[in-house]
Amino acid sequence: MQSTPSTLAGRSLVALAVLNFFLADARDGLGPFLDGFLATRGWSSMTLGFVATLGGVLGMIATPLFGAWVDASRHKRALIILPVLLVTAAALWTLASPSNASVFGGQSATAIVGAVIGPALMGLTLGLVGEHRFSDQVARNEFWNHAGNVVSLAAIYVATSYYGEMGVIVMMILTAAATIVAVVAIDPSKVDHAVARGLAHDEGEPGPSGFAVLVSRKGLILLAITLMIFHFGNAPISRLIAQDFSIQLGTPFRTTAITTGVAQLSMIVMAVAAPLLIRRFGLASVFLLALAALPIRGALAGTFSSFSWIYPVQILDGVGAGLLGIATPIAAERILAGTGRFNVGLAAVMTVQGIGASLSNVVAGWLTDIGGYGLAYWVHGAVSILAFVVFCTAHRLIAPARSDDEGDHRNAMTAPS
């Protein structure tokens, strides 16, 4: 039976909000601070790009395997707690001794174990609220996630101003502990594991569909291709900005806190706006707005070099990446509804997306070495135009209509048969 609002424990939904508030910091380890931290210690853009690519490839390999694991597992809470512990340990190792072993080993471990957290969180969310409330709950998750990021970035800015790197260490330990407490507070009896894997209803089969459903759904393949192209363009820009201005200003943690914080504030606004846009104009409108933001972002970053221009550049990151972070799991759930393969399907999409993001890091490093940061911004912004074109040609497959969304219902009624 699908969970209904009356059967949902308030404690579990509050815990889910708290989990999302602290999770980004606990899931990503050093996350956006890694590039600025290592750039001020003499690591080149090319080497940092290779580090990011290695982690991306390892995460890409692990993600679909973990997605299938989440679909089958009834211990989704543990699949968040254990990776958080390992990621935090790897980040502390890198901070204490930024050597080749800690950076490459720590980031590799972070990529592998961190790959299970996303599918586990989506499975928990779908299992708690059901498919009809999933769109709104994903937006709420993103709101609390980005709000937690903003608070964390502000806290790190203050902590590093007074206590240096020790302030970062204390913050990481506290956020990891808070994340674990929030996970434990979610009542496992309120998670419907059939619903969590996309089996609120089935399509005439006695259980989950075969894995062939992942390649038989054209919308899922096109969704993955669109995201692969977008993230090839988008993924390295914030990293390059962090490197550039950390070197110029000599304050990697504070500089990265500002640049990342602007993007996170923008993402909070997008998390509030996304459900309204979906209900009013349909899911496809959210994709179109997100995909259109990146070419403009690349052009601005490539044209203007003063620090003040990071504000519109990072606001556009919030529009693009923020909206896609909400729209992607919603689209995957709609495409795979009734198959019982939601988590592995979403993981497969994230894997293909990861191919684009991973390859982009090496390319961005190479472009920066031969033509400076401006060239890299222009090239990666321009590439994303192709993602916009792909989506426009197949938007009904990538963002299927659902009658409970007013805009999507209107689109469905006017779509050709």
Side-chain angles (χ1 to χ4, degrees), residues 32-108:
F33 296 100
L34 180 67
D35 279 76
F37 173 67
L38 295 177
T40 57
R41 282 156 175 76
W43 289 61
S44 70
S45 293
M46 188 67 184
T47 304
L48 292 173
F50 183 74
V51 171
T53 296
L54 176 63
V57 169
L58 293 173
M60 177 184 68
I61 295 170
T63 297
L65 301 176
F66 286 146
W69 187 8
V70 170
D71 271 337
S73 176
R74 301 182 68 84
H75 304 285
K76 294 177 177 62
R77 299 186 308 163
L79 296 181
I80 295 177
I81 291 173
L82 293 177
V84 164
L85 291 172
L86 292 171
V87 167
T88 302
L92 293 175
W93 180 27
T94 300
L95 273 178
S97 177
S99 62
N100 285 337
S102 64
V103 172
F104 284 96
Q107 292 307 299
S108 298

Coordinates of all heavy atoms in Angstrom, one line a residue, residues 32-108:
P32 N 33.5 21.7 -2.5 CA 34.0 22.8 -3.3 C 35.3 23.5 -2.8 O 35.9 24.2 -3.5 CB 32.8 23.8 -3.2 CG 32.2 23.5 -1.9 CD 32.3 22.0 -1.8
F33 N 35.7 23.2 -1.5 CA 36.9 23.8 -0.9 C 38.1 23.1 -1.4 O 39.2 23.6 -1.2 CB 36.8 23.7 0.6 CG 35.7 24.5 1.2 CD1 34.5 23.9 1.6 CD2 35.8 25.9 1.3 CE1 33.4 24.7 2.1 CE2 34.7 26.7 1.8 CZ 33.5 26.0 2.2
L34 N 38.0 21.9 -1.9 CA 39.2 21.1 -2.2 C 40.1 21.8 -3.3 O 41.3 21.9 -3.1 CB 38.8 19.7 -2.8 CG 40.0 18.8 -3.2 CD1 40.8 18.4 -1.9 CD2 39.5 17.6 -3.9
D35 N 39.5 22.4 -4.3 CA 40.3 23.0 -5.4 C 41.0 24.2 -4.9 O 42.2 24.4 -5.2 CB 39.4 23.3 -6.6 CG 39.2 22.1 -7.5 OD1 38.4 21.3 -7.1 OD2 39.8 22.1 -8.5
G36 N 40.3 25.1 -4.2 CA 40.9 26.3 -3.6 C 42.0 26.0 -2.6 O 43.1 26.6 -2.6
F37 N 41.8 25.0 -1.8 CA 42.8 24.5 -0.8 C 44.0 24.0 -1.4 O 45.2 24.4 -1.1 CB 42.1 23.5 0.1 CG 43.0 22.8 1.1 CD1 43.6 23.5 2.1 CD2 43.4 21.4 0.9 CE1 44.4 22.9 3.0 CE2 44.2 20.8 1.8 CZ 44.7 21.5 2.9
L38 N 43.9 23.2 -2.4 CA 45.1 22.6 -3.1 C 45.7 23.6 -4.1 O 47.0 23.5 -4.2 CB 44.7 21.3 -3.8 CG 44.2 20.2 -2.9 CD1 43.8 19.0 -3.8 CD2 45.3 19.8 -1.9
A39 N 44.9 24.5 -4.7 CA 45.5 25.4 -5.6 C 46.5 26.4 -4.9 O 47.5 26.8 -5.5 CB 44.4 26.3 -6.3
T40 N 46.2 26.7 -3.7 CA 47.1 27.6 -2.9 C 48.3 26.8 -2.4 O 49.2 27.5 -1.8 CB 46.4 28.2 -1.7 OG1 45.8 27.2 -0.9 CG2 45.2 29.1 -2.2
R41 N 48.3 25.5 -2.6 CA 49.5 24.7 -2.2 C 50.3 24.2 -3.4 O 51.0 23.3 -3.3 CB 49.1 23.6 -1.3 CG 48.8 24.1 0.1 CD 47.9 23.2 0.9 NE 47.7 23.6 2.3 CZ 47.0 24.7 2.7 NH1 46.4 25.4 1.8 NH2 47.0 25.1 4.0
G42 N 50.0 24.9 -4.6 CA 50.8 24.6 -5.7 C 50.3 23.6 -6.7 O 51.0 23.3 -7.7
W43 N 49.1 23.0 -6.5 CA 48.6 22.0 -7.4 C 48.1 22.8 -8.6 O 47.4 23.8 -8.5 CB 47.5 21.3 -6.7 CG 47.9 20.3 -5.6 CD1 48.6 20.6 -4.5 CD2 47.7 18.9 -5.6 NE1 48.8 19.5 -3.7 CE2 48.3 18.4 -4.4 CE3 47.1 18.0 -6.4 CZ2 48.3 17.1 -4.0 CZ3 47.1 16.6 -6.1 CH2 47.7 16.2 -4.9
S44 N 48.4 22.2 -9.8 CA 48.0 22.9 -11.1 C 46.5 22.6 -11.4 O 45.9 21.6 -10.9 CB 48.9 22.4 -12.2 OG 48.6 21.1 -12.5
S45 N 46.0 23.4 -12.3 CA 44.6 23.1 -12.8 C 44.5 21.8 -13.5 O 43.4 21.1 -13.3 CB 44.2 24.2 -13.8 OG 44.1 25.5 -13.1
M46 N 45.5 21.4 -14.2 CA 45.5 20.1 -14.9 C 45.4 18.9 -13.9 O 44.7 18.0 -14.1 CB 46.7 20.0 -15.8 CG 46.6 18.8 -16.7 SD 45.3 18.9 -18.0 CE 45.4 17.3 -18.8
T47 N 46.3 19.0 -12.9 CA 46.3 18.0 -11.9 C 45.0 17.9 -11.1 O 44.5 16.8 -10.8 CB 47.5 18.2 -10.9 OG1 48.7 18.3 -11.6 CG2 47.6 17.0 -9.9
L48 N 44.5 19.1 -10.7 CA 43.2 19.1 -10.0 C 42.1 18.5 -10.9 O 41.1 17.9 -10.4 CB 42.9 20.5 -9.6 CG 43.8 21.1 -8.5 CD1 43.5 22.6 -8.2 CD2 43.7 20.3 -7.2
G49 N 42.1 18.8 -12.2 CA 41.2 18.3 -13.1 C 41.2 16.8 -13.2 O 40.2 16.1 -13.2
F50 N 42.5 16.2 -13.1 CA 42.6 14.8 -13.1 C 42.1 14.1 -11.9 O 41.5 13.1 -11.9 CB 44.1 14.4 -13.3 CG 44.4 12.9 -13.4 CD1 44.1 12.3 -14.6 CD2 44.9 12.2 -12.3 CE1 44.3 10.9 -14.7 CE2 45.1 10.9 -12.4 CZ 44.8 10.2 -13.6
V51 N 42.3 14.8 -10.7 CA 41.8 14.3 -9.4 C 40.2 14.2 -9.5 O 39.6 13.2 -9.1 CB 42.2 15.2 -8.3 CG1 41.4 14.8 -7.0 CG2 43.7 15.1 -8.0
A52 N 39.6 15.3 -10.0 CA 38.2 15.3 -10.1 C 37.7 14.3 -11.1 O 36.6 13.6 -10.9 CB 37.7 16.7 -10.6
T53 N 38.4 14.1 -12.2 CA 38.0 13.1 -13.2 C 38.1 11.7 -12.7 O 37.2 10.9 -12.9 CB 38.9 13.2 -14.5 OG1 38.6 14.5 -15.1 CG2 38.5 12.1 -15.5
L54 N 39.2 11.4 -12.0 CA 39.3 10.1 -11.3 C 38.2 9.8 -10.4 O 37.6 8.7 -10.5 CB 40.7 10.0 -10.6 CG 40.9 8.7 -9.8 CD1 41.0 7.5 -10.8 CD2 42.2 8.8 -9.0
G55 N 37.9 10.7 -9.5 CA 36.7 10.5 -8.6 C 35.4 10.3 -9.3 O 34.6 9.5 -9.0
G56 N 35.2 11.1 -10.4 CA 34.0 11.0 -11.2 C 33.9 9.7 -11.8 O 32.8 9.1 -11.9
V57 N 34.9 9.2 -12.4 CA 34.9 7.9 -13.1 C 34.6 6.8 -12.1 O 33.7 5.9 -12.3 CB 36.2 7.6 -13.8 CG1 36.3 6.1 -14.3 CG2 36.4 8.5 -15.0
L58 N 35.2 6.8 -10.9 CA 35.0 5.8 -9.9 C 33.5 5.8 -9.4 O 32.9 4.8 -9.2 CB 36.0 5.9 -8.8 CG 37.4 5.6 -9.1 CD1 38.3 6.0 -7.9 CD2 37.6 4.2 -9.5
G59 N 33.1 7.1 -9.2 CA 31.7 7.2 -8.8 C 30.7 6.8 -9.8 O 29.7 6.2 -9.5
M60 N 31.1 7.0 -11.1 CA 30.2 6.7 -12.2 C 30.1 5.1 -12.3 O 29.0 4.6 -12.5 CB 30.8 7.2 -13.5 CG 30.1 6.8 -14.8 SD 31.1 7.4 -16.2 CE 32.6 6.4 -16.1
I61 N 31.1 4.4 -12.0 CA 31.1 3.0 -12.1 C 30.3 2.4 -10.9 O 29.5 1.5 -11.1 CB 32.5 2.4 -12.0 CG1 33.3 2.8 -13.3 CG2 32.5 0.9 -11.8 CD1 34.8 2.4 -13.2
A62 N 30.4 3.1 -9.7 CA 29.7 2.6 -8.5 C 28.3 2.9 -8.5 O 27.5 2.1 -7.9 CB 30.4 3.1 -7.3
T63 N 27.8 4.0 -9.1 CA 26.5 4.5 -8.9 C 25.4 3.5 -9.4 O 24.4 3.3 -8.6 CB 26.3 5.8 -9.6 OG1 27.2 6.8 -9.0 CG2 24.9 6.3 -9.5
P64 N 25.4 2.9 -10.6 CA 24.3 2.0 -10.9 C 24.3 0.8 -10.1 O 23.2 0.2 -9.8 CB 24.6 1.7 -12.4 CG 26.1 2.0 -12.6 CD 26.4 3.1 -11.7
L65 N 25.5 0.3 -9.6 CA 25.5 -0.9 -8.8 C 24.8 -0.6 -7.4 O 24.0 -1.4 -6.9 CB 26.9 -1.3 -8.5 CG 27.7 -1.7 -9.8 CD1 29.2 -2.1 -9.4 CD2 27.1 -2.9 -10.5
F66 N 25.1 0.6 -6.9 CA 24.5 1.0 -5.7 C 23.0 1.3 -5.8 O 22.2 1.1 -4.9 CB 25.2 2.3 -5.1 CG 26.6 2.0 -4.5 CD1 27.6 2.9 -4.6 CD2 26.8 0.8 -3.9 CE1 28.9 2.6 -4.1 CE2 28.1 0.5 -3.3 CZ 29.1 1.4 -3.4
G67 N 22.6 1.8 -7.0 CA 21.2 2.0 -7.3 C 20.4 0.7 -7.2 O 19.3 0.7 -6.6
A68 N 21.0 -0.3 -7.8 CA 20.3 -1.6 -7.7 C 20.3 -2.1 -6.3 O 19.3 -2.8 -5.8 CB 21.0 -2.6 -8.6
W69 N 21.4 -1.9 -5.5 CA 21.4 -2.3 -4.1 C 20.3 -1.5 -3.3 O 19.7 -2.2 -2.5 CB 22.8 -1.9 -3.6 CG 23.1 -2.4 -2.2 CD1 22.4 -3.3 -1.5 CD2 24.3 -2.1 -1.4 NE1 23.0 -3.5 -0.2 CE2 24.1 -2.8 -0.2 CE3 25.4 -1.3 -1.6 CZ2 25.1 -2.7 0.8 CZ3 26.4 -1.2 -0.6 CH2 26.2 -1.9 0.6
V70 N 20.2 -0.3 -3.5 CA 19.1 0.5 -2.8 C 17.7 0.0 -3.1 O 16.9 -0.2 -2.2 CB 19.2 2.0 -3.2 CG1 18.0 2.8 -2.6 CG2 20.5 2.6 -2.6
D71 N 17.5 -0.3 -4.4 CA 16.2 -0.9 -4.8 C 15.9 -2.2 -4.0 O 14.7 -2.4 -3.5 CB 16.1 -1.2 -6.3 CG 15.7 -0.1 -7.1 OD1 15.0 0.8 -6.6 OD2 16.0 0.0 -8.3
A72 N 16.9 -3.0 -3.8 CA 16.7 -4.3 -3.1 C 16.7 -4.2 -1.6 O 16.2 -5.1 -0.9 CB 17.7 -5.3 -3.6
S73 N 17.4 -3.2 -1.1 CA 17.7 -3.1 0.3 C 16.5 -2.6 1.2 O 15.8 -1.7 0.7 CB 18.9 -2.3 0.6 OG 19.2 -2.1 2.0
R74 N 16.4 -3.1 2.3 CA 15.4 -2.6 3.3 C 16.2 -1.9 4.4 O 15.6 -1.6 5.5 CB 14.6 -3.8 3.9 CG 13.8 -4.5 2.9 CD 12.9 -5.6 3.5 NE 11.9 -5.0 4.3 CZ 10.7 -4.6 3.9 NH1 10.4 -4.7 2.6 NH2 9.8 -4.1 4.7
H75 N 17.5 -1.6 4.2 CA 18.3 -0.9 5.2 C 18.9 0.4 4.6 O 20.1 0.6 4.6 CB 19.4 -1.8 5.7 CG 18.9 -3.1 6.2 ND1 18.4 -3.2 7.5 CD2 18.9 -4.4 5.7 CE1 18.0 -4.5 7.7 NE2 18.4 -5.2 6.6
K76 N 18.0 1.2 4.1 CA 18.4 2.4 3.4 C 19.1 3.4 4.3 O 19.9 4.2 3.9 CB 17.2 3.0 2.6 CG 16.7 2.1 1.5 CD 15.4 2.7 0.8 CE 15.0 1.9 -0.3 NZ 14.6 0.5 0.1
R77 N 18.7 3.4 5.6 CA 19.3 4.4 6.5 C 20.8 4.0 6.7 O 21.6 4.9 6.7 CB 18.6 4.3 7.9 CG 17.1 4.7 7.8 CD 16.5 4.8 9.2 NE 16.7 3.6 9.9 CZ 16.6 3.5 11.3 NH1 16.3 4.5 12.0 NH2 16.9 2.3 11.9
A78 N 21.1 2.8 6.8 CA 22.5 2.4 6.9 C 23.3 2.7 5.7 O 24.5 3.0 5.8 CB 22.6 0.9 7.2
L79 N 22.7 2.8 4.5 CA 23.4 3.1 3.3 C 23.6 4.6 3.2 O 24.3 5.1 2.2 CB 22.5 2.7 2.1 CG 22.4 1.1 1.9 CD1 21.6 0.8 0.7 CD2 23.7 0.4 1.9
I80 N 23.2 5.4 4.2 CA 23.6 6.8 4.3 C 24.6 6.9 5.4 O 25.6 7.7 5.2 CB 22.4 7.7 4.5 CG1 21.4 7.6 3.3 CG2 22.8 9.1 4.8 CD1 20.1 8.4 3.5
I81 N 24.4 6.3 6.5 CA 25.3 6.5 7.7 C 26.7 6.0 7.4 O 27.7 6.8 7.7 CB 24.7 5.7 8.9 CG1 23.4 6.3 9.4 CG2 25.7 5.7 10.0 CD1 22.7 5.6 10.4
L82 N 26.9 4.8 6.9 CA 28.3 4.3 6.6 C 29.1 5.2 5.7 O 30.2 5.5 5.9 CB 28.2 2.9 6.2 CG 27.7 1.9 7.2 CD1 27.6 0.5 6.6 CD2 28.6 1.8 8.5
P83 N 28.5 5.6 4.5 CA 29.3 6.4 3.6 C 29.6 7.8 4.3 O 30.7 8.3 4.0 CB 28.3 6.6 2.4 CG 27.5 5.4 2.4 CD 27.3 5.1 3.9
V84 N 28.7 8.4 5.1 CA 29.0 9.6 5.7 C 30.3 9.5 6.6 O 31.2 10.4 6.6 CB 27.8 10.1 6.5 CG1 28.2 11.2 7.5 CG2 26.7 10.7 5.6
L85 N 30.4 8.4 7.4 CA 31.5 8.2 8.2 C 32.8 8.1 7.4 O 33.8 8.7 7.8 CB 31.3 6.9 9.1 CG 30.2 7.0 10.1 CD1 30.0 5.6 10.7 CD2 30.6 7.9 11.2
L86 N 32.8 7.3 6.3 CA 33.9 7.1 5.5 C 34.4 8.4 4.8 O 35.6 8.7 4.7 CB 33.7 6.0 4.5 CG 33.5 4.6 5.1 CD1 33.1 3.6 4.0 CD2 34.8 4.1 5.7
V87 N 33.4 9.1 4.2 CA 33.7 10.4 3.5 C 34.3 11.4 4.5 O 35.3 12.1 4.1 CB 32.4 11.0 2.9 CG1 32.7 12.4 2.4 CG2 32.0 10.1 1.7
T88 N 33.8 11.5 5.7 CA 34.4 12.4 6.7 C 35.8 12.1 7.0 O 36.7 12.9 7.1 CB 33.5 12.5 7.9 OG1 32.2 12.8 7.6 CG2 34.0 13.5 9.0
A89 N 36.0 10.8 7.2 CA 37.4 10.3 7.5 C 38.4 10.7 6.4 O 39.5 11.1 6.6 CB 37.4 8.8 7.8
A90 N 37.9 10.5 5.2 CA 38.8 10.7 4.0 C 39.1 12.2 3.9 O 40.2 12.6 3.6 CB 38.1 10.3 2.7
A91 N 38.1 13.1 4.2 CA 38.3 14.5 4.1 C 39.3 15.0 5.2 O 40.2 15.9 5.0 CB 37.0 15.3 4.3
L92 N 39.2 14.5 6.4 CA 40.1 14.8 7.5 C 41.5 14.4 7.2 O 42.5 15.1 7.5 CB 39.6 14.2 8.8 CG 38.3 14.7 9.3 CD1 37.8 13.9 10.6 CD2 38.4 16.2 9.7
W93 N 41.7 13.2 6.6 CA 43.0 12.8 6.1 C 43.6 13.8 5.1 O 44.8 14.1 5.3 CB 42.8 11.4 5.5 CG 44.1 10.8 5.0 CD1 45.4 11.0 5.5 CD2 44.3 9.8 4.0 NE1 46.3 10.2 4.8 CE2 45.6 9.5 3.9 CE3 43.3 9.1 3.1 CZ2 46.1 8.6 2.9 CZ3 43.8 8.2 2.2 CH2 45.2 7.9 2.1
T94 N 42.8 14.2 4.2 CA 43.4 15.2 3.2 C 43.8 16.5 3.8 O 44.8 17.1 3.5 CB 42.3 15.4 2.1 OG1 42.0 14.2 1.5 CG2 42.8 16.4 1.1
L95 N 42.9 17.0 4.8 CA 43.3 18.2 5.4 C 44.5 18.1 6.3 O 45.4 19.0 6.3 CB 42.1 18.7 6.3 CG 41.0 19.5 5.7 CD1 39.9 19.8 6.8 CD2 41.6 20.8 5.2
A96 N 44.7 17.0 6.9 CA 45.8 16.8 7.8 C 47.1 16.6 7.0 O 48.2 17.1 7.5 CB 45.6 15.6 8.7
S97 N 47.0 16.0 5.9 CA 48.3 15.7 5.1 C 47.9 15.7 3.6 O 47.6 14.6 3.0 CB 48.8 14.3 5.5 OG 50.0 14.0 4.7
P98 N 47.9 16.9 2.9 CA 47.5 16.9 1.5 C 48.6 16.4 0.6 O 49.2 17.1 -0.2 CB 47.3 18.4 1.3 CG 48.2 19.1 2.3 CD 48.2 18.2 3.5
S99 N 48.8 15.1 0.7 CA 49.8 14.5 -0.2 C 49.1 13.8 -1.4 O 47.9 13.7 -1.4 CB 50.6 13.4 0.6 OG 49.7 12.4 1.1
N100 N 49.9 13.2 -2.3 CA 49.3 12.4 -3.4 C 48.4 11.3 -2.9 O 47.3 11.1 -3.4 CB 50.4 11.9 -4.3 CG 51.0 12.9 -5.2 OD1 50.4 14.0 -5.4 ND2 52.2 12.7 -5.6
A101 N 48.9 10.6 -1.8 CA 48.1 9.5 -1.3 C 46.8 9.9 -0.7 O 45.8 9.3 -1.0 CB 49.0 8.7 -0.2
S102 N 46.8 11.0 0.1 CA 45.6 11.4 0.7 C 44.6 12.0 -0.3 O 43.4 11.8 -0.2 CB 45.9 12.4 1.9 OG 46.4 13.6 1.4
V103 N 45.1 12.8 -1.2 CA 44.2 13.5 -2.2 C 43.6 12.5 -3.1 O 42.4 12.4 -3.3 CB 45.0 14.6 -2.9 CG1 44.1 15.1 -4.1 CG2 45.4 15.7 -2.0
F104 N 44.5 11.7 -3.8 CA 44.0 10.7 -4.8 C 43.2 9.6 -4.1 O 42.1 9.2 -4.5 CB 45.1 10.1 -5.6 CG 45.6 11.1 -6.7 CD1 46.7 11.9 -6.5 CD2 44.9 11.2 -7.9 CE1 47.1 12.8 -7.4 CE2 45.4 12.1 -8.9 CZ 46.5 12.9 -8.6
G105 N 43.8 9.0 -3.0 CA 43.1 8.0 -2.2 C 41.8 8.4 -1.6 O 40.8 7.7 -1.7
G106 N 41.9 9.6 -0.9 CA 40.7 10.1 -0.2 C 39.6 10.4 -1.1 O 38.4 10.1 -0.9
Q107 N 39.9 11.1 -2.2 CA 38.9 11.5 -3.2 C 38.3 10.3 -3.9 O 37.1 10.3 -4.3 CB 39.4 12.5 -4.2 CG 39.8 13.9 -3.6 CD 38.6 14.4 -2.8 OE1 37.5 14.7 -3.3 NE2 38.8 14.6 -1.5
S108 N 39.1 9.3 -4.2 CA 38.6 8.0 -4.8 C 37.6 7.4 -3.9 O 36.6 6.9 -4.3 CB 39.8 7.1 -5.1 OG 40.7 7.7 -6.1

